[in-house]
Amino acid sequence: MAIELTPLPLPASADPSKFVDFGREVKGVSPGSLTPEQFEEIKNALYKHDALLFRNVDLTPEQQYTLTKAFDPQSESYGHGNNKTESTQKSILHPDLKTIPRVPQVQLIGNGTVYNHEGLAEAMLKHPSHTTFHKTRVSLEDEAKGITRFYRWHIDAALYDLSPPKVTTLYGLQVPRGPNQICRYDDGTGEEISVPLGTTAFVSGKTMFDILPRELQSLAVRTKVKYAPHPYVWMAPSHAMPTGLGIETEGLELPFEQLPPWEESKRKILPMTWKNPVTGNLHFQVHPCGVAELLIDPLPEGSTREGVLYPDGARITDLGEVRSLLYKMQRPAIAPPLVYPHDWHEKDLVLFHNRGVLHTVVGAFTKDQVRAFHQCNLAASDDPAGPTEEDVKKYA
């Protein structure tokens, strides 16, 4: 049976014109037992469409690890460092991850208590909620009515020492059912979006770049992003914006000298836009919570300077300025018409291009709502490629 690709079902809030190439459901193949030829077809489809959905899949942790590793055969470590985050109590990721003992690259995530699961006698899982991370929160009265928020828009990556994974695989084992929730932006715009309970929401980094005005596209192709050392420990005392898109600047980050031991050479400096290896498109790929500096190259010789920001280049180290600029560039792309909130069903497998999309968990569960997922992503064997000289000339 040939592999069939069909568009993902979009919510009423989505603008179909912005999802022409984004997301496909894959039929006619078992992701746990792909032939080499089938895998190449799947790999090309993933880079072209950024998210692939397989319904009603039986998948062992070993098969999930094998599938994930096939996208980058030289990769080995779990994307955040073989679960070192769990032993780092101060890390903001600490409560969210449990390792499958016999396949340590696969994590058990979710909500509630899971018993006798893949070698884990008992695992207490906690669904990340905006109530523990944002500066402000939805009132208890509104929460009871099903009002919620995005938690944290991000890319799966350690952002220190290890390279960002190419692909993340998410496999739904137990999925609580319930009415949709209303995700509010609470940023003064009045924007909100109806989302399935416990959705994972995605936005396209390509769209994030494409919709920028010309002066911000010029800035994006000329800028590199420097992340803080051990960014999840650094950001842990801080509070997020109500949209989940970055950190409020309150001076709460841990001083660098209070972080676990770190080396300047291991800090990640990555392009603001990452080049898709199949399509050649540029994707705006920045984890806004972990950024410490922006390094801007000057305009190429002979480029017009009219209306251009930082034509002579710059190094921006003021966190308020860094965050304000990033927010201006990223916020348009998380508007409701550009968000794909996946409606999870048990045995759904979603593969997403971690170098092409941003994503976030959404919503809140009660303690008795059990949600169990297997997640796998592997620190890549190389850093993402940035814009070519030709890209810079085209957009700068």
Side-chain angles (χ1 to χ4, degrees):
M1 184 175 177
I3 295 176
E4 182 186 355
L5 301 177
T6 59
L8 294 177
L10 297 177
S13 55
D15 176 355
S17 72
K18 300 296 187 184
F19 288 89
V20 172
D21 291 321
F22 181 88
R24 291 294 185 269
E25 181 178 348
V26 183
K27 301 176 182 177
V29 68
S30 171
S33 55
L34 298 172
T35 66
E37 295 75 21
Q38 288 171 331
F39 174 74
E40 285 302 312
E41 204 172 332
I42 294 299
K43 183 170 78 169
N44 284 330
L46 182 69
Y47 288 131
K48 184 177 179 184
H49 301 295
D50 289 319
L52 299 180
L53 165 65
F54 298 79
R55 294 270 197 206
N56 199 30
V57 167
D58 291 308
L59 196 72
T60 66
E62 287 85 354
Q63 288 173 319
Q64 185 170 354
Y65 168 53
T66 298
L67 174 62
T68 309
K69 187 176 170 67
F71 286 90
D72 188 3
Q74 283 73 49
S75 63
E76 185 58 43
S77 297
Y78 174 62
H80 288 287
N82 258 354
N83 207 39
K84 288 175 188 169
T85 50
E86 191 173 347
S87 61
T88 306
Q89 296 286 335
K90 290 181 179 177
S91 169
I92 201 166
L93 298 177
H94 168 68
D96 305 338
L97 303 171
K98 298 286 184 289
T99 297
I100 302 298
R102 68 178 191 278
V103 191
Q105 297 84 359
V106 176
Q107 309 296 310
L108 173 64
I109 61 174
N111 189 75
T113 305
V114 176
Y115 298 97
N116 299 316
H117 182 87
E118 301 289 357
L120 294 168
E122 180 180 358
M124 297 179 67
L125 306 176
K126 188 177 180 184
H127 186 73
S129 163
H130 84 277
T131 60
T132 61
F133 185 47
H134 291 196
K135 182 179 180 181
T136 62
R137 58 161 294 170
V138 169
S139 70
L140 292 173
E141 293 80 7
D142 281 349
E143 196 170 45
K145 297 174 187 171
I147 306 296
T148 192
R149 286 184 183 169
F150 300 120
Y151 173 61
R152 176 173 64 236
W153 289 101
H154 66 285
I155 303 160
D156 288 335
L159 301 174
Y160 174 77
D161 194 18
L162 301 170
S163 296
K166 297 182 178 181
V167 174
T168 292
T169 58
L170 266 181
Y171 180 46
L173 293 158
Q174 287 180 260
V175 180
R177 305 309 301 174
N180 271 27
Q181 296 184 313
I182 299 297
C183 179
R184 285 197 324 216
Y185 288 65
D186 281 341
D187 62 349
T189 62
E191 288 191 310
E192 59 184 33
I193 180 174
S194 176
V195 296
L197 177 69
T199 185
T200 309
F202 297 92
V203 293
S204 162
K206 175 184 181 296
T207 300
M208 188 175 281
F209 177 74
D210 288 348
I211 65 175
L212 288 175
R214 190 60 186 241
E215 68 272 13
L216 293 182
Q217 286 186 333
S218 167
L219 187 63
V221 296
R222 291 185 290 119
T223 300
K224 291 184 176 64
V225 174
K226 187 171 185 177
Y227 289 94
H230 301 296
Y232 301 101
V233 181
W234 174 73
M235 74 172 77
S238 305
H239 301 126
M241 309 278 282
T243 54
L245 189 68
I247 299 283
E248 300 271 7
T249 304
E250 303 173 278
L252 298 178
E253 300 78 17
L254 273 184
F256 283 6
E257 60 270 17
Q258 292 182 27
L259 295 175
W262 60 276
E263 299 171 32
E264 181 65 29
S265 63
K266 293 184 177 180
R267 291 179 65 182
K268 279 297 176 186
I269 301 175
L270 299 172
M272 185 175 273
T273 55
W274 300 356
K275 195 164 182 68
N276 187 304
V278 169
T279 67
N281 294 323
L282 295 177
H283 297 244
F284 193 113
Q285 293 297 112
V286 176
H287 189 324
C289 294
V291 179
E293 300 179 26
L294 297 178
L295 311 174
I296 305 168
D297 288 337
L299 280 173
E301 203 170 322
S303 301
T304 176
R305 297 169 67 90
E306 187 179 347
V308 172
L309 301 171
Y310 306 102
D312 299 314
R315 178 187 177 197
I316 305 177
T317 59
D318 178 83
L319 272 179
E321 192 178 346
V322 167
R323 288 166 175 167
S324 176
L325 190 53
L326 282 174
Y327 196 80
K328 180 180 180 182
M329 299 174 87
Q330 292 187 290
R331 172 61 177 85
I334 68 164
L338 304 181
V339 175
Y340 171 68
H342 183 62
D343 188 3
W344 285 100
H345 293 77
E346 290 185 0
K347 294 190 175 184
D348 274 1
L349 173 68
V350 171
L351 280 61
F352 61 87
H353 177 204
N354 188 54
R355 295 182 169 193
V357 302
L358 271 72
H359 68 286
T360 177
V361 298
V362 188
F365 293 115
T366 59
K367 287 182 180 178
D368 61 345
Q369 289 178 310
V370 177
R371 181 185 198 257
F373 279 54
H374 286 171
Q375 178 209 63
C376 185
N377 56 62
L378 300 171
S381 53
D382 58 11
D383 277 344
T388 61
E389 253 184 77
E390 290 72 25
D391 290 327
V392 175
K393 286 177 183 173
K394 176 180 177 181
Y395 291 104

